[in-house]
Amino acid sequence: MTRTSLPISGAGRRVLLAAPRGWCAGVDRAVMAVEKALQQYGAPIYVRHEIVHNKYVVQTLERKGAIFVERTEEVPEGSIIMFSAHGVAPIVHEEAARGKLASIDATCPLVTKVHKEAVRYAHEDFDILLIGHEGHEEVIGTSGEAPDHIVIVDGPSDVEKISVRDPSKVIWLSQTTLSVDETMETVEALKAKFPLLVSPPSDDICYATSNRQAAVKKMGAESDLVVVVGSTNSSNSVRLVEVAIEAGAKTARLVDFASEIDEAWLEGVTTVGVTSGASVPEVLVEQVLSWLAERGYADVEVVKTGEESITFSLPKELRRDLRAEADELVAADRRLRGNSALSTSPED
Ligand code: SF4
């Protein structure tokens, strides 16, 4: 880390803290699913791919007994496998069944929604133009629902080379964590090429991605430097860096931890914007705020562009087993009460 001499109390120095930021409902559900599964079934719980794209979360769950694998075949027969929030193709469910694995599906319900759209439009024999990043786990999973009908469009520059079977029967869908503006640019280019292009029934870019981008746009416009807390493989976090720059921030940086911030980045900086990706726990943001406060950026102003109240219930396999266990406990309690009533009856 490069050191610069910064006075501790800086006149005019401030932090703009974006809201909403961080942890979304799909991430909360997926992380909770791993924790509950560890409590319910014991370690190890195998998780196919990082449950969410965040280094800290993955390391924490590893310490608790989760084992992250990239391929289903790595999981020993008879074990429990959990699918990450990004979703998997149907072929992966088949692999798990072949390996006699008990699977728990922690795919975010908003990703599942896109899978269902893909299945529906493939049945109707549409060509599906899936806007998303080639090779991203979510895009691999969604494409696997209808591989013969889906063409991936990785941004506006891809549009020229796209061809379809019937230009009157074509729909676009998208990855959930893209830049809203860039996706619209891609859609406009697709519409210019395929005027009869059908739009999805509802937005595929999820509420968390859109809300975090709206907040960073507002805050970024006033910031000299924007610090985005998130991992480099987190699509929505990387998008926040891009959106901050487009909004007018002089520079924007992605860090997993406060310790990765370089003091040289603060040279000539009055306003630091801070936000975090949808898979980032708030503790990491708090550490960044403390780091900045120690360097004279103690004045924190929240830039709020919306409220979030969405929650998702745990995966159905877990709910079933947790409910069965709760029923068993109630039955055991009733049996115990029955026995104790018998043992204290007047006939004794
Ligand atoms: Fe679901 Fe969106 Fe969160 Fe991804 S970012 S887990 S799609 S809510």
Side-chain angles (χ1 to χ4, degrees):
M1 183 189 291
T2 315
R3 291 197 71 83
T4 54
S5 48
L6 289 163
I8 291 302
S9 67
R13 290 197 185 121
R14 62 175 184 157
V15 171
L16 297 180
L17 181 60
R21 64 181 174 278
W23 218 240
C24 64
V27 164
D28 187 49
R29 172 185 189 259
V31 173
M32 183 81 81
V34 181
E35 287 178 341
K36 290 276 182 202
L38 285 165
Q39 284 165 16
Q40 178 73 7
Y41 314 110
I45 296 292
Y46 290 85
V47 183
R48 193 180 181 282
H49 196 67
E50 293 187 353
I51 186 75
V52 298
H53 286 152
N54 184 263
K55 231 184 238 179
Y56 173 89
V57 171
V58 167
Q59 287 167 358
T60 306
L61 292 174
E62 271 174 341
R63 280 197 295 275
K64 292 182 179 178
I67 297 178
F68 293 90
V69 297
E70 283 308 313
R71 292 180 310 114
T72 317
E73 301 75 53
E74 295 172 56
V75 182
E77 193 175 303
S79 307
I80 295 175
I81 186 169
M82 189 173 299
F83 302 131
S84 75
H86 317 96
V88 293
I91 197 173
V92 176
H93 287 274
E94 290 160 22
E95 288 167 4
R98 270 201 304 280
K100 299 188 174 51
L101 307 176
S103 53
I104 300 174
D105 191 355
T107 304
C108 175
L110 300 180
V111 174
T112 303
K113 179 194 85 110
V114 184
H115 281 224
K116 287 183 176 159
E117 287 169 352
V119 171
R120 173 183 155 194
Y121 286 101
H123 276 149
E124 292 178 22
D125 205 26
F126 272 79
D127 273 349
I128 300 163
L129 304 181
L130 177 64
I131 304 173
H133 298 301
E134 186 109 43
H136 186 279
E137 200 64 19
E138 182 187 323
V139 171
I140 295 170
T142 308
S143 325
E145 293 284 359
D148 298 337
H149 287 79
I150 292 183
V151 179
I152 297 165
V153 186
D154 198 343
S157 59
D158 250 14
V159 173
E160 204 187 315
K161 67 176 191 206
I162 302 296
S163 62
V164 296
R165 291 170 303 156
D166 176 0
S168 70
K169 216 164 178 196
V170 56
I171 180 165
W172 70 272
L173 301 178
S174 85
Q175 188 181 334
T176 56
T177 50
L178 299 179
S179 150
V180 175
D181 292 344
E182 192 187 282
T183 303
M184 284 307 116
E185 209 184 302
T186 309
V187 171
E188 288 315 312
L190 286 171
K191 277 186 178 159
K193 187 163 180 175
F194 308 113
L196 298 177
L197 181 72
V198 175
S199 294
S202 59
D203 280 351
D204 287 339
I205 295 181
C206 76
Y207 80 96
T209 300
S210 314
N211 289 352
R212 279 147 195 69
Q213 287 176 20
V216 89
K217 253 187 198 178
K218 191 161 181 204
M219 161 271 259
E222 289 183 59
S223 303
D224 303 307
L225 162 72
V226 169
V227 176
V228 178
V229 187
S231 294
T232 49
N233 60 347
S234 161
S235 171
N236 79 86
S237 302
V238 175
R239 301 290 82 76
L240 289 175
V241 172
E242 294 166 359
V243 172
I245 299 274
E246 280 157 22
K250 289 192 189 122
T251 181
R253 306 277 190 164
L254 184 65
V255 297
D256 263 299
F257 304 103
S259 56
E260 292 173 8
I261 306 174
D262 189 330
E263 287 193 23
W265 300 348
L266 299 175
E267 285 274 17
V269 166
T270 305
T271 303
V272 183
V274 174
T275 187
S276 55
S279 45
V280 177
E282 188 63 7
V283 63
L284 300 180
V285 174
E286 285 162 9
Q287 286 167 7
V288 165
L289 295 178
S290 303
W291 189 96
L292 288 168
E294 282 163 18
R295 287 152 183 87
Y297 298 83
D299 174 15
V300 178
E301 193 183 313
V302 176
V303 178
K304 189 170 182 170
T305 52
E307 297 271 1
E308 291 178 349
S309 56
I310 294 180
T311 55
F312 296 130
S313 53
L314 285 169
K316 62 178 188 306
E317 305 86 348
L318 257 175
R319 272 185 283 139
R320 179 198 61 209
D321 290 352
L322 291 170
R323 205 178 311 126
E325 193 191 55
D327 289 348
E328 234 171 69
L329 287 172
V330 170
D333 182 55
R334 285 207 184 115
R335 278 196 301 276
L336 277 174
R337 285 171 196 272
N339 285 343
S340 79
L342 280 178
S343 66
T344 57
S345 68
E347 284 82 8
D348 277 350

